[in-house]
Amino acid sequence: MSDAVPLTVSDRAQTALNVSPQNWLTEGDSATLICEVYGSTGWTFSWYIITPSGKGYIYEPLSDSSRGAGGKYTVSSVALKHTGVYMCEAERGKPNFKTDMSNTQPLWVTGVSPPVSLVISPSRAQHFTSDSLSLSCEDKSNSTGWGVRRYGDSWLINDCSSQTESTCTISLTTSDTGVYWCQSESGENYNPVNITVHSGVILESPVHPVTEGDTLTLHCLYKSTTPAKLRADFYKDGSLVQSQTSEMIITAVSKSHEGFYYCKRPEGESPKSWISVRASGSESQISVFNILSSGLAACLYLLVTVVLIVKCCRMRGNTTE
């Protein structure tokens, strides 16, 4: 007799969706959605983005989903329009057998100048329970039809705005933790921010991306203590970067400072917050100026060269005569 081999039979195959390298991205980054069926091969895949519709949801197929036929759907240069919540499913065989829909995976893309701003008061990424939080969408072109949306632990996309205006006011509980963003009537998603609600220690950090060259200031807050008396340890991506100080200040932020930050005090540890760093507008202006300067210098060089050649030709002509 051979060794016994266990055989497990399931009426539905399980599909898992993951994101590499991470869910939070800056315009121009690369991201890959990876769809897998546990312990099985030979599948073809379909990809969807979830859009709220009334009290339900619409699973819209991605128009170029054929790019993810091998189980990996890659966006080589993400844009603001790629912000959203994604799912996948797999199928194979004749007759056709489909898996259940996968778990959801969001992509949150931050940009330099989104067409609409999500204004948050108080303006920080982490908040205490029972605090009041106000969120509103402000469009630079003064158009209407924007609403605040929320994606929480239950993966459901909730409409946070009222029927008459694009403003949301919440008396916070831990269940309000999630990502909030502005969505247009046509389904465009912009300006996602991660809001964390915690009952203990919180990290006071910017809710929107920080521009390169700016100053970044972090505080470690505990509700029953004034900020001036707080001394804490600050961490970035799990490593201690500053110890026993009341605040952490980075005077000139660079892309290397991007990452997950949190702090520790005797009362406890704060949740982690992702701090995104975007390129400064001055850099792009300088690069344009450099290009124009280089172009002008090349034109002057070419002009001088042509003039000298013409003069040389005339001199030779006069000498021949």
Side-chain angles (χ1 to χ4, degrees):
M1 297 291 287
S2 70
D3 294 335
V5 177
L7 177 64
T8 302
V9 180
S10 174
D11 59 344
R12 302 295 286 178
Q14 299 298 311
T15 309
L17 180 61
N18 294 292
V19 176
S20 178
Q22 61 191 15
N23 301 84
W24 283 94
L25 304 159
T26 305
E27 276 185 297
D29 288 349
S30 176
T32 300
L33 295 168
I34 304 167
C35 192
E36 297 177 299
V37 180
Y38 291 119
S40 189
T41 59
W43 299 87
T44 57
F45 299 88
S46 299
W47 305 84
Y48 302 87
I49 187 167
I50 304 173
T51 304
S53 177
K55 294 183 179 180
Y57 302 92
I58 297 175
Y59 300 89
E60 295 184 0
L62 300 184
S63 59
D64 57 349
S65 61
S66 59
R67 291 196 294 110
K72 291 185 178 182
Y73 179 89
T74 299
V75 183
S76 57
S77 181
V78 298
L80 294 175
K81 65 180 182 180
H82 292 116
T83 287
V85 181
Y86 296 82
M87 297 180 80
C88 69
E89 68 175 352
E91 60 182 281
R92 72 175 183 184
K94 293 182 180 180
N96 193 26
F97 176 84
K98 287 188 176 182
T99 65
D100 288 330
M101 282 284 193
S102 71
N103 56 298
T104 59
Q105 282 288 357
L107 288 183
W108 310 119
V109 183
T110 58
V112 176
S113 183
V116 63
S117 297
L118 180 58
V119 180
I120 297 176
S121 180
S123 183
R124 63 182 186 226
Q126 296 184 15
H127 300 263
F128 294 112
T129 53
S130 302
D131 281 358
S132 179
L133 178 67
S134 175
L135 307 98
S136 61
C137 295
E138 293 187 2
D139 190 350
K140 297 175 182 177
S141 61
N142 295 319
S143 65
T144 58
W146 293 96
V148 180
R149 299 290 186 267
R150 183 180 78 91
Y151 176 91
D153 291 338
S154 61
W155 78 260
L156 296 176
I157 303 172
N158 299 319
D159 186 352
C160 186
S161 304
S162 68
Q163 296 293 325
T164 57
E165 56 183 351
S166 57
T167 302
C168 174
T169 302
I170 311 169
S171 180
L172 293 170
T173 66
T174 54
S175 63
D176 293 310
T177 292
V179 177
Y180 294 76
W181 71 93
C182 294
Q183 187 178 73
S184 68
E185 291 178 335
S186 59
E188 298 169 301
N189 300 319
Y190 293 108
N191 217 198
V193 296
N194 191 25
I195 297 296
T196 303
V197 184
H198 192 54
S199 59
V201 176
I202 67 170
L203 177 71
E204 185 178 56
S205 62
V207 70
H208 294 297
V210 185
T211 303
E212 282 186 310
D214 286 355
T215 298
L216 171 65
T217 302
L218 304 176
H219 292 100
C220 196
L221 304 182
Y222 187 63
K223 198 165 188 176
S224 62
T225 311
T226 58
K229 296 180 180 179
L230 293 179
R231 300 185 70 80
D233 297 332
F234 294 86
Y235 295 78
K236 174 182 178 289
D237 297 329
S239 299
L240 179 66
V241 290
Q242 193 163 305
S243 179
Q244 287 300 300
T245 56
S246 59
E247 63 182 8
M248 177 177 168
I249 300 176
I250 302 174
T251 55
V253 174
S254 66
K255 194 68 175 177
S256 64
H257 293 115
E258 194 170 73
F260 285 98
Y261 288 78
Y262 65 97
C263 63
K264 285 184 180 180
R265 284 185 37 79
E267 295 85 357
E269 177 182 314
S270 77
K272 297 178 177 64
S273 279
W274 172 259
I275 295 181
S276 178
V277 179
R278 63 189 175 194
S280 64
S282 59
E283 283 190 354
S284 59
Q285 293 173 1
I286 291 172
S287 62
V288 170
F289 177 77
N290 289 339
I291 292 171
L292 292 175
S293 300
S294 300
L296 180 61
C299 290
L300 290 173
Y301 177 80
L302 182 62
L303 180 62
V304 171
T305 303
V306 171
V307 170
L308 290 175
I309 292 173
V310 170
K311 284 187 176 182
C312 289
C313 292
R314 286 180 179 177
M315 291 176 63
R316 288 181 179 177
N318 293 335
T319 303
T320 303
E321 291 176 0

